[in-house]
Amino acid sequence: MPDTRPPAIDVATIDRGRILRAAKQYLGETPLTITSFPAARSTGGRHDYFSEGDYWWPDPAHPDGPYIQRDGLTNPDNFTDHRSALIRLSVQMPALAAVWLITKEEKYAARAVEHLRAWFVDDATRMNPSLEFAQAIHGRATGRGIGIIDSVHLVEVARAAAMLEGSQSFADDTSEKVKRWFSEYLNWMRTSPHGIEEREAKNNHGTCWVLQVAEFARYTENTELLSFCRTRFASVLVPNQIAPNGSFPLELARTKPYAYSLFNLDALSTLCHILSTEQDSLWKFELPDGRGIRKAMEYMFPFIADKKTWPLPPDVQCFDHWPVRQPSLLFAGLGLPRPDYLKLWRRLNPDPTVAEVIRNFPIRQPILWLIP
């Protein structure tokens, strides 16, 4: 008889060595927030996050005029210090929380909570709960809705914060203040012009808006928003983004179709993991023509297993550095279930070092996602 048991994977054992090594390093590094990096070109204040659109460059014909777009090619002279600080938080704080989960050594939790306090609580260093000035464009915009994708790196931070609730270091008043920050940010995402614009984006930006709202709603126990996200997955994301063959046409049209397809698949799979219940499994959801996460995974899996079979030209940037240990393989491997996805996940690189890859790889500590 075939083995019908659902696949299992011991992530705590698999990852123990790598996260212990990382967390021991991070114990000696103090928090840094955006207030440590003045942004001279920002129209916001010291506590306002600022970034500039990646693919916007000076116009050779008008050097002092508005920037022009070169899709897929990152301008190295743009301001990225705030994003780098945010990514640093998203790398260090979840790793510390993950090690606390498996060792219960309070020193790791204490350092993780220091990061949370610095970013979301302490008046001198906290970030304002909005992204009004994200992905600005010189001469064109002081900030854009598209910039909300920068805070996708807070998704695992929120997950890690929830896991710290049992630690001695995460006192009730700190926990409440961190949750208040995320509640305020959720409100801004839902009601601001930038937030509404990003919600309506048709590609991976729309996916990542729902991903953030879902995890932040889970953390703040907002059941109404969790229900909204389930509905939006089924009624908007799947119909608008997945083709009958399982591909993402809006991502394939870009200059980095491989990386963007992986990124969108990771975001959709993480959404399924966050939002699925026994009564409403998004892993099983399909439109009448069969479109759903199963079809999307089946389309991309062969190209993750063997990138040489990718049918389109290589991405204009960082093509050689993908794939990495994509969370879509883990979550779909468990949710669909597909042991072959889990097998491939185990042999891919969990710790990329290329900045562009790290920027598009926001789920790095799977142990945080597999503990109820």
Side-chain angles (χ1 to χ4, degrees), residues 86-87 158 179 206 209 261 302 344 347:
L86 187 65
I87 292 175
K179 284 185 178 179
W209 185 94
S261 292
L344 178 56
R347 67 179 177 83

Side-chain angles (χ1 to χ4, degrees), residues 164-175:
L164 287 171
E165 292 289 346
S167 71
Q168 297 175 12
S169 301
F170 206 17
D172 289 343
D173 62 331
T174 301
S175 173

Side-chain angles (χ1 to χ4, degrees), residues 7 13 16 41 47 51 64 74 84 88 124 138-139 207 257 289 294-295 298:
T13 298
R16 184 181 182 90
R41 293 195 290 270
H47 296 271
S51 64
D64 296 324
T74 299
S84 296
R88 180 182 186 270
H138 176 74
T207 306
D289 61 3
R294 177 187 60 81
K295 181 74 74 172
E298 289 175 351

Side-chain angles (χ1 to χ4, degrees), residues 62-355:
H62 305 282
D64 296 324
Y67 278 13
I68 58 174
Q69 188 177 33
R70 298 170 63 185
D71 187 37
L73 298 175
T74 299
N75 180 352
D77 294 326
N78 283 342
F79 182 87
T80 59
D81 288 350
H82 287 181
R83 180 191 291 160
S84 296
L86 187 65
I87 292 175
R88 180 182 186 270
L89 166 73
S90 74
V91 169
Q92 294 195 1
M93 183 267 167
L96 291 162
V99 170
W100 177 77
L101 275 177
I102 63 176
T103 67
K104 297 305 179 183
E105 291 186 45
E106 194 63 24
K107 62 183 179 181
Y108 296 109
R111 181 63 89 187
V113 171
E114 285 184 29
H115 284 278
L116 295 177
R117 289 194 59 87
W119 276 87
F120 309 118
V121 179
D122 294 342
D123 289 338
T125 57
R126 73 192 294 268
M127 180 176 115
N128 287 335
S130 65
L131 260 64
E132 287 288 347
F133 308 99
Q135 295 216 16
I137 304 172
H138 176 74
R140 296 182 182 273
T142 59
R144 298 178 293 160
I146 200 171
I148 292 173
I149 204 166
D150 285 6
S151 59
V152 73
H153 291 280
L154 291 179
V155 167
E156 194 160 81
V157 171
R159 174 67 57 145
M163 293 297 166
L164 287 171
E165 292 289 346
S167 71
Q168 297 175 12
S169 301
F170 206 17
D172 289 343
D173 62 331
T174 301
S175 173
E176 291 171 5
K177 289 174 181 177
V178 173
K179 284 185 178 179
R180 187 182 310 146
W181 189 97
F182 278 95
S183 292
E184 292 172 357
Y185 186 54
L186 266 177
N187 184 63
W188 180 84
M189 287 184 68
R190 294 172 52 243
T191 61
S192 69
H194 282 346
I196 293 170
E197 177 187 353
E198 186 75 340
R199 183 191 68 198
E200 297 304 315
K202 303 299 183 184
N203 62 356
N204 65 82
H205 281 268
T207 306
C208 286
W209 185 94
V210 181
L211 172 61
Q212 292 181 68
V213 170
E215 185 58 25
F216 303 159
R218 181 185 183 274
Y219 178 46
T220 58
E221 301 178 341
N222 190 322
T223 56
E224 180 180 351
L225 278 181
L226 286 169
S227 178
F228 170 84
C229 290
R230 289 188 190 95
T231 299
R232 195 159 185 87
F233 174 89
S235 64
V236 176
L237 299 184
V238 170
N240 288 347
Q241 296 199 32
I242 302 177
N245 70 346
S247 68
F248 302 128
L250 295 173
E251 312 305 335
L252 296 181
R254 302 291 298 277
T255 59
K256 296 192 291 188
Y258 186 77
Y260 277 124
S261 292
L262 290 176
F263 180 60
N264 200 45
L265 188 63
D266 285 345
L268 287 169
S269 299
T270 306
L271 262 176
C272 290
H273 183 77
I274 294 169
L275 295 172
S276 290
T277 66
E278 291 185 8
Q279 297 75 29
D280 183 14
S281 173
L282 298 187
W283 297 110
K284 298 178 180 179
F285 172 79
E286 292 183 350
L287 296 175
D289 61 3
R291 286 182 292 159
I293 194 65
R294 177 187 60 81
K295 181 74 74 172
M297 285 297 306
E298 289 175 351
Y299 175 82
M300 277 302 295
F301 177 69
F303 309 129
I304 304 174
D306 183 3
K307 189 171 58 179
K308 294 190 296 292
T309 63
W310 180 242
L312 297 180
D315 295 3
V316 297
Q317 189 180 41
C318 296
F319 185 68
D320 293 340
H321 298 286
W322 295 102
V324 292
R325 201 173 72 171
Q326 312 299 146
S328 56
L329 293 170
L330 175 64
F331 296 149
L334 294 170
L336 284 174
R338 287 287 299 265
D340 51 338
Y341 294 175
L342 297 176
K343 184 178 180 180
L344 178 56
W345 176 84
R346 289 196 62 164
R347 67 179 177 83
L348 291 172
N349 177 20
D351 296 304
T353 57
V354 175

